[in-house]
């Protein structure tokens, strides 16, 4: 079941999750959208898209969002970057699969609207939303104050940063300080990239070594760089999702845990 969502205090977030030792991480947030777009709308050219549920399925119900609040009348367009299984990925037949794909399908049922999942890399998502090219984003994204002012952010999962090393590398990472002086692969424009930069800058300011950061467009590229021996470690965002997705073997969130829209949303 999807959580009931209500508006919380501006800029607040109910829960945090501890990932790398010494760093308190905000809860992961995603599946957010704007209801009031500018009248002149630009559509983003994409290589692939998936429409979840046909119009006929929703013929017997009334859509919760009216056409004048949608980029394209009659459907809700959400971006997704299918490079991070089990959250979202492309199977051997080229079809979108994963936790967030199923979440979007359930969202379509609740809103009485077909959902079109538009594939794009993570860095392009917020600019596309701001330019009124998509209705929303369907992927895990860490909460920040800046992001909460750009869009309505709906918390739905607990997520933390993890550090991955190759099994035969002999590299030991016990604390965040063990990342100093090493090369790290990280997804560009991500929370973990910003976190790593702050760690590196703080070390340099004290006269220490920097972290050699190598950025990649997708989480798949990050892991591939590690396995190819191009970096000492890779940084990922990993999470725990609700019982709706327990067939994937992940830990469910407490049923009574409060959820709310976090941040004021667009001005």
């Amino acid at each position: 079941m999807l959580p009931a969502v209500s508006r919380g205090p501006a800029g607040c977030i109910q829960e945090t999750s501890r990932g790398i030792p010494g760093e308190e991480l905000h809860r992961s947030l995603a599946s957010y959208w704007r209801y009031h777009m500018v009248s002149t709308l630009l559509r983003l050219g994409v290589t692939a898209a998936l429409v979840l549920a046909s119009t006929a399925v929703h013929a017997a119900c009334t859509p919760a969002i009216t056409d004048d609040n949608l980029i394209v009348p009659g459907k809700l367009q959400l971006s997704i970057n299918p490079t991070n299984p089990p959250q979202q990925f492309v199977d051997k037949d080229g079809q979108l699969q994963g936790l967030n794909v199923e979440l979007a399908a359930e969202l379509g049922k609740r809103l009485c609207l077909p959902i079109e999942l538009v594939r794009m890399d993570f860095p392009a998502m917020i600019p596309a939303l701001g330019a009124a090219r998509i209705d929303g984003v369907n992927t895990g994204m860490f909460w920040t104050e800046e992001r909460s002012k750009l869009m309505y952010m709906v918390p739905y999962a607990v997520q933390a940063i993890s550090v991955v090393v190759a099994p035969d590398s002999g590299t030991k990472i016990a604390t965040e300080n063990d990342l100093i002086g090493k090369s790290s692969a990280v997804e560009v424009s991500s929370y973990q990239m910003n976190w790593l930069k702050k760690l590196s800058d703080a070390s340099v300011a004290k006269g220490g070594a920097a972290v050699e950061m190598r950025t990649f467009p997708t989480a798949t590229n990050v892991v591939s760089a590690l396995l190819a021996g191009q970096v000492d470690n890779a940084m990922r965002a990993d999470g725990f999702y609700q019982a709706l997705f327990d067939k994937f073997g992940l830990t469910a969130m407490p049923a009574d845990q409060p959820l709310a829209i976090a941040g004021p949303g667009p001005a």
Side-chain angles (χ1 to χ4, degrees):
M1 301 293 289
L2 294 178
V5 178
S6 60
R7 182 176 296 278
C12 79
I13 191 69
Q14 277 72 27
E15 183 174 339
T16 57
S17 175
R18 186 170 298 278
I20 296 175
E23 175 69 1
E24 197 74 13
L25 300 177
H26 287 292
R27 184 180 178 137
S28 172
L29 305 133
S31 292
Y32 30 77
W33 53 89
R34 288 190 178 188
Y35 290 151
H36 301 287
M37 296 294 187
V38 293
S39 58
T40 302
L41 302 177
L42 302 176
R43 293 204 60 188
L44 177 67
V46 295
T47 57
L50 171 68
V51 177
L52 300 174
S54 67
T55 304
V57 173
H58 302 290
C61 58
T62 302
I65 305 174
T66 57
D67 284 349
D68 60 322
N69 289 317
L70 295 169
I71 301 297
V72 177
K75 63 181 176 181
L76 187 70
Q77 294 182 309
L78 305 177
S79 66
I80 193 168
N81 54 332
T83 61
N84 193 26
Q87 285 93 329
Q88 57 244 22
F89 61 97
V90 179
D91 65 17
K92 61 181 178 60
D93 297 319
Q95 301 300 310
L96 287 174
Q97 302 289 348
L99 312 180
N100 287 327
V101 177
E102 294 191 13
L103 178 64
E106 182 64 22
L107 185 63
K109 294 178 183 177
R110 301 295 182 94
L111 295 176
C112 188
L113 275 172
I115 304 293
E116 180 179 352
L117 295 180
V118 183
R119 303 186 198 183
M120 67 176 68
D121 289 339
F122 182 81
M125 291 186 178
I126 294 179
L129 184 64
R133 296 173 177 174
I134 53 175
D135 295 300
V137 176
N138 179 33
T139 192
M141 182 180 292
F142 283 106
W143 184 93
T144 67
E145 183 176 0
E146 180 182 6
R147 286 174 177 170
S148 74
K149 295 176 181 178
L150 297 173
M151 66 198 91
Y152 296 108
M153 305 187 76
V154 181
Y156 77 119
V158 177
Q159 198 160 20
I161 292 175
S162 63
V163 178
V164 183
V165 300
D168 56 352
S169 68
T171 301
K172 303 293 183 182
I173 306 291
T175 72
E176 63 266 31
N177 291 329
D178 293 330
L179 297 170
I180 302 297
K182 293 184 173 64
S183 58
S184 297
V186 65
E187 194 172 356
V188 69
S189 300
S190 63
Y191 182 95
Q192 51 268 35
M193 185 193 81
N194 294 331
W195 182 91
L196 194 61
K197 184 178 185 303
K198 289 179 181 178
L199 177 70
S200 180
D201 290 347
S203 175
V204 171
K206 295 176 182 178
V211 177
E212 182 184 348
M213 237 184 338
R214 300 183 186 176
T215 60
F216 297 87
T218 71
T220 300
N221 296 144
V222 167
V223 175
S224 296
L226 175 67
L227 296 178
Q230 298 175 10
V231 293
D232 296 318
N233 61 79
M235 301 195 71
R236 290 175 42 89
D238 297 295
F240 298 89
Y241 292 75
Q242 295 188 47
L244 176 65
F245 309 121
D246 60 6
K247 72 178 184 180
F248 291 95
L250 301 180
T251 302
M253 296 170 59
D256 59 350
Q257 186 165 304
L259 297 173
I261 295 175

